[in-house]
Amino acid sequence: MKKVVSILVIVLAFTFNSNAQDKMMNKAVKTIALEQTKGEFTEKGLTVSPGTYVFEISNNHAAEKVGLVLVKKGDDPSKPENHIKTAYVTTAVADGKTEKSNPTTLTTGEYLYFCPLNPTPQYTLTVE
């Protein structure tokens, strides 16, 4: 009886694990690659569809270190509590390097992106 229960538990565990993996595969994480040069992003605005994204930031001799701030349009970008923290790169991007953010879910609307370390203008990211 103990063997039957053990086998049943193992089969159920594999079934739930497979279903969870299938659901994760349906929510593919896409990449938004952004390059910074001195005082600006080379991508001056973007339009993407709703989904989950990783931001990949490249520092093309923009500054010693750069980063990314993403804010919902209409929120005060000078207030850190309004920043979408998952969009921050996990490590400041050193000169000549590329770093990534954590996965960030974007819903329909407009966002602003900029870098305070390499002071850039605020650019619009539209999700539609």
Side-chain angles (χ1 to χ4, degrees):
M1 184 67 176
K2 285 183 181 180
K3 284 183 179 181
V4 172
V5 172
S6 296
I7 291 171
L8 184 60
V9 168
I10 291 170
V11 169
L12 287 173
F14 279 119
T15 302
F16 287 125
N17 189 30
S18 295
N19 287 338
Q21 287 178 352
D22 289 343
K23 288 179 183 176
M24 290 301 290
M25 295 301 276
N26 291 336
K27 290 188 174 192
V29 176
K30 301 171 210 138
T31 299
I32 296 176
L34 298 170
E35 177 189 32
Q36 287 190 50
T37 58
K38 197 151 200 71
E40 66 181 0
F41 279 90
T42 56
E43 297 77 11
K44 309 268 188 278
L46 299 165
T47 300
V48 298
S49 57
T52 302
Y53 294 86
V54 167
F55 291 90
E56 185 177 82
I57 309 301
S58 297
N59 181 348
N60 188 0
H61 309 298
E64 186 177 323
K65 292 188 176 186
V66 301
L68 174 73
V69 173
L70 184 68
V71 178
K72 188 85 169 154
K73 194 169 190 175
D75 290 346
D76 184 349
S78 68
K79 295 184 175 182
E81 61 267 20
N82 292 332
H83 297 177
I84 299 171
K85 304 217 179 3
T86 56
Y88 288 166
V89 287
T90 56
T91 302
V93 187
D95 187 18
K97 302 289 183 187
T98 300
E99 299 291 344
K100 294 181 179 182
S101 72
N102 288 309
T104 303
T105 300
L106 301 177
T107 57
T108 302
E110 289 187 317
Y111 300 81
L112 299 175
Y113 66 95
F114 63 97
C115 177
L117 301 174
N118 166 37
T120 67
Q122 295 176 0
Y123 302 99
T124 302
L125 169 62
T126 304
V127 180
E128 53 184 33

